[in-house]
């Protein structure tokens, strides 16, 4: 944000970026300054957007495209400018303003995700060397460890064979004349971990200080390093009537994964796959384990689009349906994390599936393709390279919650999850539970 500050007869200009925007908005609201220009980024209808405007009325965006794209942008913008119901000051008041902190919020963390810039590259660009073994984003992931609503936040880099734990430490840096909020990433395990990207090779904790993971909390707020974003809007609970109740007879709901060989035939994942096989999908794919998009993926090719349904599964705490909100924290986080695939190329999605075939664990191996073949995937890869659109739908599967007795806290968490997925990706979220 750019401000013109009026101090007597003097006019000064100040540009504020990041956490300084909050102070700049305060100055403007107190009538000590005039907004010279405002630039922001966000999402509209599930697509990333950016826009800027000046006090003289000039409006701009960073957009690549042809004259048709430009005409569509102008038409959409004109409709907003002519809408008397839109209050620009209200929009700014609802903008997410970053705040530098030295203490973590006392809210339960739900999930942690890679730096958003990492999703803009191919999965193979960032390579993690863990005690001599090499992994990329297709076969490793970040996960919270022992999450709670107090104490420092810890997370792990998880691979098929091992995991390494790190800690986010917030503190006030007093090394300069002016103290300021700061953070550092500390590796807690003794593993030798380095990260390669481009011509760079750095130790893991320094990598995570440059490409800072984001921690998301149960209320929709987030923490990136020491930058905290508090959600300002009120999120509506997930409608109870929209929950899909399944019959889980014969399934041990304490068992999540079907594993490799032999498969666990009374697991949640096996049940979901068998039910999907009764429907008309071209490919059903078991993407379980580190680096997954979802536990199960179901693909259907139409003349004008590829539809992908992502099924995120979680076992029930204590192996029974209850009102324990812990049943949902992790699976809601997994669902929110998968929304990033909406903004990647379709060929990256299919390449991920090809790269992870076959499924291996502790010396055992089997195909991840529950329906369809590698040739079918290769054919899809050639089709999506022609820019056929990919339409996603996300399912949260948790037989540990009962539709009949679901609590307000659970519906609120599901509402936050649904809202995030809709705003960031424009994707529909469905919930499958117990009766």
């Amino acid at each position: 944000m750019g401000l013109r500050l009026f101090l007597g007869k003097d006019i000064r200009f100040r540009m504020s970026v990041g956490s300084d925007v909050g102070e700049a908005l305060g100055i403007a609201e107190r009538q000590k300054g005039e907004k010279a220009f405002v630039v922001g980024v966000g999402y509209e209808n599930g697509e990333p957007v950016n826009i800027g405007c000046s006090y003289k009325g000039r409006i701009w965006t960073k957009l690549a495209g042809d004259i048709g794209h430009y005409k569509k942008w102008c038409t959409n913008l004109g409709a907003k400018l002519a809408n008397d119901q839109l209050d620009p000051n209200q929009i700014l008041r609802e903008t997410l303003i970053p705040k530098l902190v030295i203490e973590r919020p006392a809210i339960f963390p739900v999930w942690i995700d890679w730096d958003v810039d990492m999703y803009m590259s191919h999965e193979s660009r960032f390579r993690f060397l863990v005690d001599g073994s090499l992994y990329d984003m297709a076969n490793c992931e970040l996960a919270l460890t022992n999450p709670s609503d107090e104490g420092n936040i810890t997370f792990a880099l998880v691979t098929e064979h091992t995991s390494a734990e790190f800690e986010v430490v917030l503190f006030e840096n007093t090394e300069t004349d002016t103290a300021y909020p700061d953070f550092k990433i500390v590796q807690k395990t003794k593993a030798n971990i380095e990260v390669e990207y481009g011509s760079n090779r750095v130790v893991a904790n320094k990598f995570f200080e440059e490409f800072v993971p984001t921690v998301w909390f149960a209320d929709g707020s987030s923490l990136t390093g020491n930058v905290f974003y508090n959600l300002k809007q009120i999120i509506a609970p997930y409608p109870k009537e929209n929950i899909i109740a399944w019959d889980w007879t014969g399934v041990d709901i304490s068992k999540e994964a079907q594993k490799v060989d032999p498969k666990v035939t009374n697991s949640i994942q096996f049940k979901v796959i068998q039910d999907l096989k009764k429907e008309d999908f071209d490919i059903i794919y078991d993407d379980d384990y580190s680096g997954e998009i979802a536990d199960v993926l179901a693909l259907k090719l139409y003349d004008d689009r590829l539809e992908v349904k992502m099924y995120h599964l979680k076992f029930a705490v204590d192996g029974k349906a209850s009102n324990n909100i812990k049943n949902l924290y992790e699976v809601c986080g997994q669902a929110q994390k998968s929304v990033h695939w909406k903004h990647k190329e379709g060929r990256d999605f299919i390449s991920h599936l090809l790269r992870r075939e076959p499924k291996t664990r502790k010396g055992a191996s089997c195909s991840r393709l529950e329906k369809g073949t590698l040739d079918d995937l290769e054919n899809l890869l050639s089709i999506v390279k022609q820019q056929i659109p990919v339409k996603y739908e996300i399912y949260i599967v948790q037989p540990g919650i009962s539709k009949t007795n679901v609590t307000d806290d659970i519906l609120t968490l599901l509402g936050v999850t649904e809202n995030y997925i809709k705003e960031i990706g424009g994707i529909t979220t469905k919930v499958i539970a117990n009766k």
Side-chain angles (χ1 to χ4, degrees):
M1 172 181 287
L3 284 181
R4 293 197 306 168
L5 304 178
F6 297 88
L7 305 174
K9 295 182 179 180
D10 296 328
I11 299 177
R12 298 181 184 178
F13 179 79
R14 170 179 171 178
M15 181 173 175
S16 300
V17 180
S19 59
D20 290 339
V21 171
E23 182 182 352
L25 282 171
I27 292 173
E29 289 176 354
R30 291 193 299 269
Q31 302 301 314
K32 293 181 180 177
E34 178 183 81
K35 302 181 189 75
F37 68 85
V38 177
V39 178
V41 296
Y43 293 85
E44 183 178 18
N45 299 323
E47 299 293 341
V49 294
N50 63 85
I51 193 167
C53 63
S54 71
Y55 76 100
K56 291 184 177 180
R58 180 176 297 167
I59 302 174
W60 63 90
T61 187
K62 182 180 180 182
L63 181 67
D66 55 24
I67 190 67
H69 290 99
Y70 177 67
K71 180 180 178 182
K72 182 178 179 181
W73 179 78
C74 290
T75 301
N76 291 338
L77 181 63
K80 295 175 184 177
L81 293 174
N83 188 345
D84 294 333
Q85 302 301 313
L86 296 180
D87 181 356
N89 291 315
Q90 181 64 29
I91 292 172
L92 286 175
R93 282 194 290 269
E94 293 182 359
T95 298
L96 296 181
I97 305 300
K99 178 182 178 182
L100 299 179
V101 297
I102 58 175
E103 293 182 353
R104 57 152 293 182
I107 311 168
F108 196 93
V110 177
W111 58 291
I112 186 169
D113 203 6
W114 303 106
D115 185 299
V116 67
D117 288 341
M118 296 176 66
Y119 284 108
M120 300 298 105
S121 304
H122 292 292
E123 288 184 309
S124 57
R125 179 172 186 250
F126 296 92
R127 302 174 299 279
F128 299 84
L129 191 63
V130 184
D131 287 336
S133 297
L134 196 61
Y135 305 90
D136 59 27
M137 290 174 65
N139 47 39
C140 69
E141 64 184 14
L142 299 181
L144 294 170
T145 56
N146 302 315
S148 71
D149 55 8
E150 60 183 9
N152 285 345
I153 294 172
T154 58
F155 67 93
L157 174 67
V158 183
T159 72
E160 178 185 352
H161 304 101
T162 187
S163 66
E165 191 173 54
F166 299 83
E167 182 177 14
V168 182
V169 179
L170 306 178
F171 63 98
E172 186 174 55
N173 194 320
T174 58
E175 293 181 355
T176 62
D177 293 338
T178 303
Y180 60 93
D182 204 354
F183 81 98
K184 60 183 177 181
I185 304 294
V186 178
Q187 182 175 330
K188 299 187 69 177
T189 52
K190 294 182 179 180
N192 182 22
I193 308 176
E194 294 181 312
V195 187
E196 299 175 347
Y197 57 102
S199 60
N200 302 294
R201 184 167 180 168
V202 298
V203 294
N205 67 306
K206 295 302 180 184
F207 173 81
F208 288 128
E209 288 175 354
E210 180 176 354
F211 292 88
V212 187
T214 295
V215 178
W216 295 86
F217 298 91
D219 67 346
S221 59
S222 65
L223 181 69
T224 305
N226 64 326
V227 182
F228 179 64
Y229 292 87
N230 188 26
L231 199 64
K232 294 183 178 181
Q233 65 187 117
I234 298 174
I235 305 299
Y238 189 84
K240 177 181 177 179
E241 61 272 16
N242 288 359
I243 296 177
I244 304 168
W246 276 16
D247 181 3
W248 295 91
T249 301
V251 178
D252 184 346
I253 61 175
S254 69
K255 297 178 180 178
E256 176 184 327
Q258 67 174 0
K259 300 187 178 179
V260 180
D261 186 27
K263 292 181 179 177
V264 183
T265 57
N266 64 341
S267 65
I268 298 170
Q269 188 183 29
F270 189 86
K271 154 78 171 174
V272 170
I273 290 173
Q274 297 312 305
D275 280 15
L276 292 176
K277 286 181 177 180
K278 299 174 185 177
E279 301 184 36
D280 185 28
F281 291 108
D282 298 321
I283 290 174
I284 299 174
Y285 189 95
D286 174 0
D287 197 32
D288 195 17
Y289 296 150
S290 300
E292 68 184 38
I293 296 175
D295 294 283
V296 181
L297 299 166
L299 286 67
K300 177 67 177 177
L301 180 64
Y302 295 90
D303 291 339
D304 59 344
R305 68 192 186 281
L306 172 65
E307 288 194 358
V308 177
K309 297 183 185 295
M310 305 176 179
Y311 290 81
H312 298 275
L313 324 175
K314 204 62 193 172
F315 66 89
V317 175
D318 299 326
K320 61 182 180 181
S322 68
N323 291 326
N324 193 336
I325 196 171
K326 291 182 179 179
N327 279 318
L328 282 169
Y329 282 138
E330 187 172 350
V331 71
C332 284
Q334 292 168 343
Q336 293 177 62
K337 186 183 295 188
S338 65
V339 75
H340 289 289
W341 286 94
K342 164 67 183 294
H343 305 301
K344 296 179 74 72
E345 298 288 344
R347 62 175 178 266
D348 292 330
F349 177 86
I350 302 299
S351 295
H352 169 94
L353 306 188
L354 290 168
R355 192 178 297 119
R356 285 170 61 82
E357 169 70 9
K359 183 180 182 181
T360 59
R361 196 73 164 185
K362 297 180 179 179
S365 178
C366 71
S367 175
R368 291 181 177 274
L369 286 155
E370 293 284 343
K371 182 178 180 181
T373 66
L374 275 176
D375 288 341
D376 293 332
L377 278 179
E378 293 283 3
N379 182 51
L380 276 181
L381 181 62
S382 63
I383 292 174
V384 297
K385 282 182 177 179
Q386 301 172 18
Q387 302 301 314
I388 184 172
V390 182
K391 180 181 179 182
Y392 294 96
E393 194 170 50
I394 291 177
Y395 287 78
I396 294 172
V397 183
Q398 175 49 282
I401 61 173
S402 166
K403 176 178 180 177
T404 303
N405 301 317
V406 66
T407 64
D408 291 342
D409 286 346
I410 288 175
L411 293 175
T412 297
L413 177 58
L414 289 172
V416 169
T417 302
E418 178 192 40
N419 179 75
Y420 177 88
I421 292 171
K422 191 68 176 178
E423 288 200 346
I424 302 300
I427 299 173
T428 300
T429 303
K430 296 185 178 179
V431 179
I432 297 174
N434 221 315
K435 292 182 178 179

